[in-house]
Amino acid sequence: MTLVIAHRGNSAAAPENTFASFDSAIAGGVTLLECDVQMTADGHIVVIHDPTLDRTSDRAGDVRSLTLAEIKTADVSYPKNFGAKFSPQRVATLGELLAHLKGRARVMLEIKKESSRPESDEFERRIAAEIVRSGIHVSADMGTDIALLSFATPVLERMAAILPDAPRGHLFYRDPEEVMFAAAEKVKASFVMPEKGHLSPGLLERAKQRGLRVATWVCDDAAEFNELDKLGLLGIGTNRPTEMLEAATLVGAGASGS
């Protein structure tokens, strides 16, 4: 069965990229979690999607120009979406998150290009250091506890050099296939993740010929999820992971009983 990837955790039900969201996904039986990282002004790797606090917290500010101590004062319980239901939630460091999830879930770590610097690989090296320090299992096969994602080819090139054993998945929107496959080869990707609207049987076959698995994002509709599941994908990112897992399980049970 296609893997259900909890996009920023169970983010339709709890504030994205928070312990509440990740724990909610795990409680629902989903143990493959996607999250995002940026870097603070004082060099800490933090789990947040946007380069600013504005959208999901009770304060404004650019993560890259704030210290970790300043960022920790923000409540990222996403009040615009959830009110005070989950308050307070704090931005976790990558180290804190990996310690929290160790032995409970695997992680697909999206490295955001906004914190990467053309003149320095500090961001990427600090990510690798946190992964190694955490003691989680890193391997090139499906037994790994962590895989690395990015839309940015230079970021994944750096990670291939710094932490070569961690599988890399190149994210794409609807790039031309020749661009997608060239980038995947450049970063020695294990898999590619085009947006779901770009999928086709031909693309999947050409990826297979190149030794690449294919995953996709983001699907929150059960019927659509089950149609995508038929393509033999590695995984599907969703904001409603527990619902999609239940839908896929029901379909699988129905097929087994027919």
Side-chain angles (χ1 to χ4, degrees), residues 1-7 9 25 28-34 106 108 216 219 225-226 229 233-249:
M1 188 178 77
T2 303
L3 295 169
V4 176
I5 305 167
H7 184 241
V30 180
T31 56
L32 181 55
L33 312 178
E34 185 268 355
R106 295 185 294 160
M108 298 183 86
T216 195
C219 175
F225 190 97
N226 286 322
D229 189 20
L233 298 169
L234 172 63
I236 302 171
T238 174
N239 299 309
R240 301 180 180 276
T242 58
E243 296 174 38
M244 298 305 109
L245 179 62
E246 182 179 2
T249 302

Side-chain angles (χ1 to χ4, degrees), residues 87-219:
S87 181
Q89 295 291 315
R90 304 300 174 195
V91 175
T93 66
L94 177 58
E96 289 168 344
L97 179 66
L98 294 179
H100 185 69
L101 298 178
K102 190 174 183 180
R104 303 170 64 215
R106 295 185 294 160
V107 177
M108 298 183 86
L109 185 70
E110 183 179 345
I111 304 171
K112 305 303 289 184
K113 63 182 180 181
E114 296 94 344
S115 288
S116 185
R117 301 168 182 168
E119 75 284 359
S120 168
D121 63 358
E122 180 188 6
F123 179 43
E124 292 84 1
R125 287 195 175 278
R126 286 181 179 270
I127 290 169
E130 287 296 335
I131 291 170
V132 171
R133 190 178 296 119
S134 74
I136 63 171
H137 178 64
V138 181
S139 66
D141 58 32
M142 288 296 290
T144 189
D145 283 338
I146 195 162
L148 308 174
L149 307 176
S150 188
F151 281 97
T153 303
V155 165
L156 290 174
E157 284 186 285
R158 286 175 173 176
M159 295 309 300
I162 297 166
L163 196 66
D165 288 344
R168 289 167 298 285
H170 204 312
L171 287 156
F172 300 95
Y173 180 55
R174 298 186 183 181
D175 303 67
E177 286 185 19
E178 61 270 21
V179 172
M180 185 172 72
F181 290 134
E185 182 177 2
K186 199 171 186 180
V187 305
K188 301 180 177 65
S190 303
F191 59 99
V192 291
M193 286 188 74
E195 192 267 341
K196 63 184 179 181
H198 195 46
L199 294 177
S200 70
L203 186 153
L204 267 66
E205 179 57 32
R206 286 184 283 276
K208 183 178 179 181
Q209 291 170 1
R210 290 166 171 80
L212 291 166
R213 298 292 303 273
V214 179
T216 195
W217 55 278
V218 165
C219 175

